[in-house]
Structure formats: C-alpha cells, structure tokens
Amino acid sequence: GVMMKIGAYQFAATGNIMKNMEAIRRAVSLAAEESVRLLAFPECSLTGYPIRDDRSSSVDFQTLNACFSELQNMSARYGMYLLVGSVTKSNGIYHNSALLFSPDGSEIALYNKRALWGWDINNFSEGIPGGIWAVDEFKIGVRICYEVRFPEYFRELYREKVDFMIVMFNDISETDDIERYGLISAHLQTRAVENVCMVLSVNDVSPYQTAPTAVIDNSGKVIAKLPRDTEGLLTYDYQTAEMPYFVQGRKIISDKLTRQP
C-alpha cells in the first residue's frame, strides 16, 4: 500500500503565542529528523485556549499573522504539512480553527469548530461543514475536541471516504481525571470502529491530560500512544492496506446505513 509518515506533537499551550511557537519549532525540527510528512498539533495550540488563557478578543492578531507566515515558510522548508489549532478572526467574527499549512505554499486550509457549548459559545461563532483535505495521495478528515462526542460529525467524513481522521483536543483538567481520559479514549476508539477508519488524536498536556495523543486502527485498537502529561512527539507510518474479512462487514453495513434515503 501507499505510505505516509504522520506525526502528532503534544505540549502545554499557554496564552503566550511566542512561547507556543517555540514548542512548535521544536516539534517541527524533531519531526523533520524522522521524515514526518504531516504533523498535527492540539486545538488552539498556537494561541492557547481562550477560556483558560484569555478571551478570543484579546488575542494579538498581528503576532498571530506573523506566526502564520512563519508556519507557511516552515512547511515549505521542511516539506511538511502542518496542522495547527488557533483562534482566527474574519470580519470581526472569531472561530476556533484547525489550519492546514501546505509545503506547496497554497492557501491555508481552514476548518472551524461546530460543536460549541459553554465557554466556546461565548468566544466563538459556529463553523460550517468541511475539514476534508487532500494530503499527497490521501484524503484526511479533521475534527475538533467536543465534536468527538457526536458520531454525526464523523459520519460526514465516512461518506467522503477519508483515509484517516484527525481529532485535535484541548481537553485537560485541573485534577488528575483518569476516568475522563478513559472515556474520551473510548469515544475515539468507537469513532474508529464505526467508521472503519484509523484515527489520530492529539491533545494538550497541562495540568492533566484528559484525552490521549494516540493512533487507533480501524478496529479500535490503540497502536501507538504517548505518555500522559509530558511534551512529546508521536510518529506513525500510515499505510493503505487490504481490509480483513471481519472488518469488511462493518464497512458494508456502514455503507448501507449512510446511504442517502
């Protein structure tokens, strides 16, 4: 099958954009040593998550735009797709966004979080369907944090026949909540199983991590995972492969269930 090395980098994002950028630079140089082609970062990894680290309106967009330019240059220089979480602003409207920087310097691809509740509603406007992008020969689908709780967002990706799904989290707790970590892991495993699709998740780490940075195969098995609460890089050689007989059943039934009436 066709292969691509993918990576996920977990770190403690703060409200300090330049500090976050330092971690991203570290990540990219580490990933470059391992020939990673696509590197994913957590939700709001560039700006910090507004609720914990400040309001959306207090983000320094001048600094942020300079960082976008640098990320674009880094992507080209290292020949690496960079998937970064950030607050974005357009026409006075704020979004919680996933941004994909491409090595060929094409326009930044953007997906804005749709499942908003609580603090998110006070800080962001709801996005529209999307987050499905071509990366080399592959088609990827991206979702953000709370969206993992709702199978419908992932069924959209299934219908579009994505090769694998990426979920960017900023799911952390003030106390060590291992039960929540287990629950979110189970959500990810379920999304992988019901959509017969590999899932890569990436999360913030501090104070306590309540969603994993992991690779889960299309049968829900966790095949790679970083230790909790510490900065680090996860890499995985993604490869297209023949579907075993027992896996095909889920594909056939899912196809039946997702056919438009």
Side-chain angles (χ1 to χ4, degrees):
V2 196
M3 205 191 82
M4 177 168 66
K5 187 161 241 190
I6 59 179
Y9 196 82
Q10 64 177 31
F11 72 98
T14 68
N16 182 333
I17 295 172
M18 292 323 287
K19 200 173 160 210
N20 298 336
M21 221 28 219
E22 275 169 34
I24 289 169
R25 287 186 202 108
R26 273 199 300 281
V28 172
S29 71
L30 277 174
E33 283 169 29
E34 301 210 32
S35 309
V36 167
R37 179 66 171 159
L38 167 66
L39 180 60
F41 292 93
E43 173 186 28
C44 289
S45 44
L46 191 53
T47 49
Y49 193 61
I51 319 317
R52 218 177 58 246
D53 304 313
D54 235 329
R55 292 191 69 78
S56 302
S57 51
S58 63
V59 169
D60 176 356
F61 285 94
Q62 206 174 342
T63 300
L64 196 57
N65 286 327
C67 290
F68 289 164
S69 300
E70 186 184 338
L71 286 162
Q72 204 136 36
N73 293 338
M74 278 199 305
S75 174
R77 187 161 79 241
Y78 290 101
M80 196 186 298
Y81 286 87
L82 302 175
L83 180 63
V84 182
S86 179
V87 175
T88 59
K89 182 186 181 183
S90 93
N91 306 323
I93 294 168
Y94 298 94
H95 286 112
N96 178 336
S97 307
L99 299 98
L100 183 68
F101 297 87
S102 303
D104 64 8
S106 53
E107 198 180 328
I108 303 165
L110 194 72
Y111 171 68
N112 299 321
K113 187 176 182 179
R114 289 176 284 161
L116 306 179
W117 188 245
W119 296 317
D120 268 352
I121 283 181
N122 303 330
N123 272 280
F124 301 117
S125 296
E126 195 178 316
I128 56 167
I132 299 159
W133 300 314
V135 171
D136 296 341
E137 307 91 313
F138 301 103
K139 197 190 230 188
I140 67 165
V142 174
R143 293 294 176 254
I144 302 173
C145 206
Y146 193 45
E147 295 178 341
V148 80
R149 302 255 185 188
F150 309 96
E152 292 82 356
Y153 293 117
F154 291 79
R155 271 309 196 208
E156 295 169 346
L157 303 179
Y158 179 85
R159 284 196 184 95
E160 292 293 327
K161 299 181 166 57
V162 302
D163 290 289
F164 58 91
M165 303 172 174
I166 302 176
V167 189
M168 304 159 75
F169 287 99
N170 191 309
D171 201 301
I172 49 180
S173 163
E174 294 301 316
T175 55
D176 191 0
D177 191 345
I178 194 74
E179 208 173 301
R180 182 177 172 87
Y181 181 87
L183 178 65
I184 306 288
S185 299
H187 279 319
L188 288 161
Q189 289 169 284
T190 305
R191 299 294 155 264
V193 170
E194 68 200 1
N195 296 299
V196 205
C197 191
M198 193 194 90
V199 173
L200 171 71
S201 65
V202 56
N203 192 16
D204 195 289
V205 298
S206 173
Y208 292 99
Q209 192 172 345
T210 42
T213 294
V215 176
I216 297 155
D217 75 10
N218 64 11
S219 289
K221 187 170 189 274
V222 179
I223 43 183
K225 183 162 74 165
L226 288 182
R228 292 170 73 223
D229 311 332
T230 47
E231 185 168 323
L233 172 69
L234 179 72
T235 64
Y236 180 73
D237 289 320
Y238 174 77
Q239 198 160 3
T240 52
E242 283 299 300
M243 234 176 234
Y245 177 73
F246 69 91
V247 177
Q248 288 170 19
R250 270 183 283 129
K251 185 90 182 65
I252 287 162
I253 292 169
S254 291
D255 283 343
K256 208 153 75 172
L257 289 170
T258 52
R259 252 177 237 138
Q260 297 299 339

